[in-house]
Amino acid sequence: GTRIVYDRSFLLQMRNSP
Amino acid sequence: PRDVIKHPLQNSWTLWYFENDRAKNWEDNQVEIYNFDTVEDFWALVNHIKPASEIRVGTDYSLFKKGVRPMWEDPANKNGGRWLVSLEKKQRGPELNNCWLEVMLCLIGEAFDEFSDDVCGAVMNIRPKGDKIGIWTGDGTRTNSIMEIGQRIKSRLNIPAKVLIGYQLHRDLTVKNSSVIKNRHQV
């Protein structure tokens, strides 16, 4: 099946988004 | 609109906090802090709680897949083990915080691809002699998966090649008088 993968740069970018 | 929809994680996770209150039995001292299953809720949690380096000595943070308790007795952990990353006392600060955050990012981001299914969670122990981070997998016999996970942990945490980390089976830890815990794998 498919897996929802997030790399660290995307996750870190999301840290301060509203 | 697109930006209203939160980014779903592959798994739901629970953050636990452990503090040793001798009046209570050990299992009751593990407290569920928060369940989450989106990137946004993860950050809402992490930005809200004390960072690893600021919680008291003798306490733990644990991040486990929902329904798995942060203890080897849990059925999902019983036959497994942990990759153990040991830090020095002087690293209790930004380095520890970054290390713990990186481990959490690996977990929620499914950084181990198909081997991520073997990962149960991670435990961070704040201890007088030095803090430890353990990444727990559920089946100690799946060597290929364990080694792949260990390799990726080392690269994500920028651990130099010559510095080895060990994988220990939980059941080896329950041998009371064993002072030296046998590493079943190293990478």
Side-chain angles (χ1 to χ4, degrees):
Chain A
T2 59
R3 180 179 300 276
I4 302 174
V5 177
Y6 293 105
D7 62 39
R8 71 186 304 280
S9 51
F10 177 83
L11 290 171
L12 290 171
Q13 187 193 320
M14 291 292 294
R15 179 163 203 172
N16 300 312
S17 71
Chain B
R2 190 184 58 76
D3 51 10
V4 171
I5 301 164
K6 292 185 183 179
H7 294 76
L9 299 175
Q10 176 72 25
N11 285 287
S12 294
W13 297 88
T14 302
L15 186 79
W16 299 74
Y17 174 73
F18 168 81
E19 186 167 353
N20 197 14
D21 174 352
R22 297 197 194 290
K24 290 191 261 175
N25 73 46
W26 187 79
E27 289 195 15
D28 297 338
N29 284 321
Q30 284 283 2
V31 175
E32 269 190 55
I33 298 180
Y34 190 65
N35 291 300
F36 61 91
D37 58 9
T38 67
V39 175
E40 288 78 359
D41 289 346
F42 166 72
W43 284 122
L45 167 66
V46 168
N47 292 337
H48 175 71
I49 59 173
K50 277 187 177 172
S53 60
E54 289 177 20
I55 62 175
R56 260 206 300 278
V57 173
T59 62
D60 303 347
Y61 274 143
S62 298
L63 183 67
F64 273 76
K65 286 177 181 171
K66 197 166 195 291
V68 180
R69 290 171 304 153
M71 48 194 77
W72 65 266
E73 295 91 338
D74 191 281
N77 296 320
K78 210 165 184 38
N79 302 313
R82 65 175 178 173
W83 280 109
L84 188 63
V85 176
S86 301
L87 294 107
E88 290 160 24
K89 271 191 278 193
K90 60 180 168 59
Q91 294 177 295
R92 184 180 302 157
E95 223 172 322
L96 170 65
N97 295 338
N98 292 336
C99 193
W100 174 238
L101 178 60
E102 195 66 37
V103 166
M104 290 196 287
L105 296 183
C106 285
L107 266 48
I108 69 168
E110 302 290 306
F112 308 109
D113 296 318
E114 72 274 21
F115 302 111
S116 297
D117 292 336
D118 282 345
V119 174
C120 301
V123 179
M124 195 222 40
N125 310 115
I126 299 293
R127 294 297 180 273
K129 290 206 279 298
D131 306 328
K132 293 176 286 187
I133 293 176
I135 294 93
W136 291 31
T137 74
D139 183 341
T141 65
R142 288 173 52 81
T143 303
N144 178 32
S145 166
I146 288 166
M147 296 309 285
E148 187 63 38
I149 290 168
Q151 296 280 8
R152 295 192 192 192
I153 289 166
K154 274 192 81 170
S155 69
R156 281 288 290 263
L157 298 184
N158 299 317
I159 296 173
K162 60 178 173 36
V163 174
L164 296 182
I165 57 174
Y167 182 88
Q168 303 157 346
L169 291 178
H170 296 310
R171 70 169 190 280
D172 287 345
L173 302 180
T174 56
V175 175
K176 279 295 166 283
N177 43 33
S178 72
S179 57
V180 176
I181 312 271
K182 197 156 55 168
N183 284 327
R184 297 290 180 148
H185 304 286
Q186 280 194 317
V187 74

